[in-house]
Amino acid sequence: MDVENRAVAAMVADKNQQKKGDDGVEARSIRFGENDLLSGEIKDEVLAAKMTLINNAIDEIGFTAYHWKLFCLNGFGYAVDSLLLLLQSIIATQAKLEFQPSFSTGLTIAVYVGMLVGAIFWGFSADIIGRRFAFNVSLFISSVFTIVAGASPNWVVLGLFICLAAFGAGGNLVLDTAVFLEYLPSKEQWLLTLMAAWWGLGQLIAGLFAWAYLPRYSCADAASCTYKNNEGWRYVMYTSGVFVLILSVLRVTVIRLHETPKFLVAEGKDEQVVRVLQDIAEKNNRPCSLTLEQFQALGPTARVSKNRISLAEVGFHLRGLFVTRKTGLSTVLVWFSWLLIGLAYPLYNVFLPTYLASRGADFGTSSAYITWRNYAINNVCSIFGPVLAGFMCRSKWFWGRRGTMIIGAMVTMIFFFCYTQVRTESQNVGFTCAISFCLNIYYGTLYAYTPEVFPSAHRGTGNGVAIGLNRIMGIISAIVGKVANTNTPVPIYICAALYIVMGIVAAGLPFEPYGRRSG
């Protein structure tokens, strides 16, 4: 390691070997960490060299019990995000019967507004004040407002509390992948895709709560609907809120999360970087030869912010996502992918109870029990899409992350078109299960791919904007779903067309993380 680090220091000191980069700015001819995904997109050579040292140290430590805890505790964030997203669609029908609102898709808009603000707030704050704070408090915020939402006296108050609960959840998907990735050894980065299985687990839990309460504790029509005979949706909210509260407590008791080394090094806190990694190695009886002297030999990074909470700081992190033409193209295509999935996903999943009920009625199976049973079965299938995607990303036979997304998008598109031709109850269940499975191959991979291709110093910002764009399209989906009428196949055709475009965009992504280390 000493020889390697002296060589890295010498490379930093070498001012003579330069070439023109693909963005027209001067870059050193010698690249740091040739196996690092963003090794060719260097602007701050000292920071790049220090990132290489951190990656080497993480690979030297290897995968430990600490990483397993992170896999589960960060996975809780995935589960809560999907659970809260579907809760509003699950309870909407019964809440509408009780409150009789003038705007029926208001809860969908409320949850996406909350997640939009949460994604932007927690995303930018992750690069400015750090990852640890949001990790520790976001689930607690979600749990409190989910419980309170169950006691809502009217439609507007219900929408407000769902929005506030979603604000807390909005920080999870921004940070869960970033935090886990920034501790992962390079050989285990495929686990980032597998972690999306927690998303399906959250959907399943939401479906099981609905199946348990709604058939037994729901009114039949608006004329007879009162607080007393329509408590099922409230039970769903109370139970879900308590479940999220338990998860939030586990997050701060099972593990004391350190701030991630890659955030610390971007802030110039080299001593803390060494301390964090050596502490993990010591507690797990693993080697770690990283020392502070190795960082000091490289000198200070080009920029350490003195005024972190400012608009200038936000602008700095946004510009960092477009530092070269290639990284700029990658950022635009990733954000565009999130825009597309942001419309397609809620048009299917959020309105899935409506699809199941309307098509079930066509086949003479309009029972609430059957509808919510089918919904739970469907959500079981969604768990296994990311599991398959994780193993596909790990294999070169599926062309890495990009190939996995292309396959997932194209197969999902085929099943969407098939679903418009459903003629029996068995087909209704079978095709919705197939869609949920295949859809999550694409979605789970996109979730993992996104933080991998953003520079670490700007990863929270890139994730936050991506998921923020996704939430904007979720709001639009509520309008499209209302205008297009979810009792017809039109929204399904829209989803199918969007997945065709997603597959094309995936093919154009410039970076392939397979076999490479994140920056």
Side-chain angles (χ1 to χ4, degrees):
M1 283 292 287
D2 289 339
V3 173
E4 176 187 346
N5 293 319
R6 284 196 298 270
V8 173
M11 285 190 280
V12 174
D14 184 2
K15 303 295 183 181
N16 299 319
Q17 297 184 2
Q18 298 179 337
K19 70 172 184 178
K20 283 285 183 178
D22 63 359
D23 61 342
V25 299
E26 290 191 342
R28 305 292 190 266
S29 60
I30 299 177
R31 295 180 177 181
F32 302 104
E34 285 292 339
N35 196 42
D36 290 352
L37 181 63
L38 303 180
S39 61
E41 315 303 312
I42 295 171
K43 289 287 284 184
D44 184 341
E45 291 182 342
V46 175
L47 180 60
K50 290 182 178 181
M51 288 290 183
T52 297
L53 294 181
I54 292 172
N55 281 333
N56 291 343
I58 291 173
D59 283 345
E60 182 184 14
I61 295 170
F63 197 81
T64 68
Y66 184 79
H67 295 92
W68 277 120
K69 291 177 181 178
L70 281 178
F71 179 81
C72 295
L73 296 174
N74 286 16
F76 291 168
Y78 267 64
V80 169
D81 190 275
S82 63
L83 180 138
L84 288 178
L85 183 61
L86 295 188
L87 275 185
Q88 58 82 24
S89 67
I90 287 171
I91 70 168
T93 299
Q94 293 308 129
K96 281 187 288 187
L97 289 178
E98 182 176 336
F99 298 134
Q100 300 182 41
S102 57
F103 194 78
S104 59
T105 57
L107 294 188
T108 301
I109 293 177
V111 76
Y112 275 105
V113 168
M115 288 185 170
L116 166 62
V117 177
I120 297 299
F121 175 81
W122 297 113
F124 282 108
S125 69
D127 287 335
I128 295 173
I129 65 175
R131 279 71 155 143
R132 183 183 177 188
F133 176 75
F135 180 88
N136 287 335
V137 306
S138 57
L139 285 188
F140 180 75
I141 293 173
S142 295
S143 67
V144 170
F145 287 112
T146 301
I147 294 171
V148 174
S152 299
N154 57 56
W155 185 255
V156 174
V157 173
L158 175 61
L160 172 63
F161 287 133
I162 283 180
C163 181
L164 292 171
F167 167 77
N172 287 308
L173 291 182
V174 175
L175 291 177
D176 291 332
T177 52
V179 169
F180 190 47
L181 175 64
E182 292 183 7
Y183 279 108
L184 267 180
S186 57
K187 291 183 179 180
E188 310 300 337
Q189 283 182 202
W190 67 277
L191 287 172
L192 203 61
T193 303
L194 181 63
M195 195 169 73
W198 288 93
W199 177 271
L201 184 61
Q203 290 180 321
L204 172 61
I205 291 169
L208 291 175
F209 288 162
W211 189 15
Y213 292 121
L214 294 182
R216 297 178 58 192
Y217 304 105
S218 297
C219 60
D221 54 65
S224 63
C225 201
T226 66
Y227 180 97
K228 289 296 184 182
N229 68 2
N230 193 42
E231 294 184 311
W233 70 267
R234 297 180 187 273
Y235 295 155
V236 170
M237 297 301 292
Y238 293 144
T239 308
S240 299
V242 171
F243 172 70
V244 178
L245 180 61
I246 293 171
L247 298 185
S248 71
V249 172
L250 290 175
R251 270 201 169 184
V252 295
T253 55
V254 172
I255 192 172
R256 281 191 69 183
L257 181 73
H258 301 285
E259 189 56 81
T260 67
K262 292 182 180 180
F263 171 80
L264 292 172
V265 77
E267 292 296 309
K269 299 177 180 179
D270 298 344
E271 185 176 351
Q272 292 185 41
V273 172
V274 176
R275 189 185 310 130
V276 166
L277 290 174
Q278 288 183 344
D279 182 61
I280 293 173
E282 181 181 349
K283 288 181 178 179
N284 292 276
N285 196 28
R286 298 294 179 86
C288 180
S289 53
L290 185 68
T291 65
L292 180 59
E293 289 73 20
Q294 294 167 354
F295 281 102
Q296 292 174 336
L298 297 172
T301 55
R303 178 188 182 277
V304 178
S305 175
K306 296 180 180 178
N307 185 19
R308 293 188 299 175
I309 304 177
S310 65
L311 289 177
E313 186 72 7
V314 172
F316 166 73
H317 288 296
L318 284 172
R319 291 192 300 274
L321 300 170
F322 298 88
V323 69
T324 67
R325 286 198 186 102
K326 191 172 181 181
T327 55
L329 174 63
S330 174
T331 297
V332 169
L333 291 181
V334 168
W335 285 354
F336 186 51
S337 298
W338 281 95
L339 269 175
L340 295 171
I341 194 71
L343 180 58
Y345 183 86
L347 271 181
Y348 174 70
N349 280 75
V350 171
F351 295 108
L352 181 57
T354 304
Y355 299 140
L356 289 170
S358 62
R359 282 153 183 76
D362 292 340
F363 311 131
T365 55
S366 56
S367 158
Y369 178 86
I370 296 296
T371 296
W372 293 113
R373 182 207 66 184
N374 292 348
Y375 188 70
I377 293 172
N378 180 275
N379 287 326
V380 170
C381 297
S382 68
I383 296 174
F384 299 100
V387 175
L388 176 60
F391 287 101
M392 290 173 68
C393 288
R394 196 182 185 190
S395 171
K396 65 180 180 180
W397 299 108
F398 297 101
W399 312 297
R401 273 61 153 177
R402 290 179 297 185
T404 302
M405 284 191 283
I406 293 169
I407 294 170
M410 293 298 103
V411 176
T412 303
M413 175 269 296
I414 292 171
F415 279 114
F416 266 124
F417 280 124
C418 291
Y419 187 48
T420 63
Q421 304 303 312
V422 162
R423 295 293 180 268
T424 68
E425 175 62 16
S426 297
Q427 291 174 353
N428 187 27
V429 177
F431 280 113
T432 55
C433 287
I435 289 171
S436 291
F437 177 85
C438 298
L439 180 156
N440 281 285
I441 293 176
Y442 174 87
Y443 212 172
T445 308
L446 179 63
Y447 264 118
Y449 180 88
T450 300
E452 285 186 297
V453 297
F454 285 140
S456 179
H458 317 293
R459 184 168 286 143
T461 300
N463 274 6
V465 173
I467 297 174
L469 293 171
N470 178 275
R471 303 320 186 192
I472 290 173
M473 296 307 289
I475 296 170
I476 293 174
S477 76
I479 300 171
V480 173
K482 187 174 179 63
V483 173
N485 186 358
T486 53
N487 291 319
T488 73
V490 173
I492 301 296
Y493 281 119
I494 295 174
C495 290
L498 289 170
Y499 274 94
I500 296 174
V501 181
M502 283 182 235
I504 295 171
V505 173
L509 292 167
F511 292 115
E512 173 48 60
Y514 175 78
R516 310 289 296 278
R517 302 194 299 192
S518 67

